[in-house]
Amino acid sequence: LLLFSLDQVSSFDPLDLSLDVTPARIFACLDSSSYLDALLMALRLNEAPVLRAVYQRVPVADVPLLAAALPVPYLKRMLQLVATQVAESPHVELHLRWAEQLLLNHHDAISASKTVYTAALRGMHQAFSGQMGDLAKLCHSNHYALAFLAPAS
């Protein structure tokens, strides 16, 4: 099966795709709180807007369970998704929780296949480093503003 598109931005790269994996079914799973099914189908479909919607709708409290249940073949895409979302969305706690739980639960698979995950891990590192720099600037700015205002009160 060959797919051709004039859209240079979109990259359709499905993994183990079947007829029952559709955006409508993915959102139905989200609505029924079947987060693991929705996440796996979104990773299989690999469409950026659907992946982003599923990732952001997963409650932070459920991240440890989902990360532990994530099959290894989907790990690389999930790490890439976290790296992309760190750069694009402001949900710091969600990103940190996903990164922590994925690394804790899948460290054996990552260690066994370091070359497979190197690019995804490097992307996460760069995204988190950029976010840390932005937060550091904000904290320093607030610190100096408070130091200036404190004597006035």
Side-chain angles (χ1 to χ4, degrees):
L1 174 66
L2 293 175
L3 296 174
F4 296 97
S5 173
L6 296 176
D7 186 8
Q8 305 258 340
V9 176
S10 176
S11 106
F12 182 68
D13 184 20
L15 173 71
D16 193 27
L17 194 59
S18 64
L19 292 175
D20 63 334
V21 177
T22 64
R25 180 129 191 255
I26 292 169
F27 289 116
C29 286
L30 275 178
D31 292 339
S32 66
S33 299
S34 299
Y35 299 115
L36 182 61
D37 292 336
L39 181 63
L40 292 178
M41 284 192 285
L43 287 168
R44 286 170 63 190
L45 188 59
N46 202 29
E47 284 189 10
V50 177
L51 275 169
R52 182 175 32 256
V54 171
Y55 178 84
Q56 291 181 356
R57 285 185 56 186
V58 170
V60 174
D62 291 347
V63 169
L65 296 172
L66 294 176
L70 186 74
V72 174
Y74 298 98
L75 180 59
K76 182 179 175 186
R77 286 192 181 193
M78 193 63 204
L79 291 171
Q80 291 168 337
L81 175 64
V82 172
T84 303
Q85 291 303 305
V86 168
E88 293 179 359
S89 87
H91 306 292
V92 178
E93 182 185 3
L94 180 64
H95 308 316
L96 289 172
R97 186 65 54 101
W98 268 113
E100 175 193 33
Q101 292 302 319
L102 288 171
L103 294 174
L104 284 175
N105 287 297
H106 296 285
H107 67 277
D108 291 334
I110 293 170
S111 295
S113 303
K114 291 179 184 176
T115 57
V116 172
Y117 300 105
T118 301
L121 293 172
R122 188 174 292 126
M124 278 182 34
H125 180 264
Q126 288 174 345
F128 279 120
S129 294
Q131 195 170 56
M132 184 185 76
D134 293 343
L135 287 173
K137 288 177 190 174
L138 180 66
C139 290
H140 287 304
S141 172
N142 286 343
H143 174 75
Y144 296 131
L146 288 173
F148 176 75
L149 293 173
S153 60

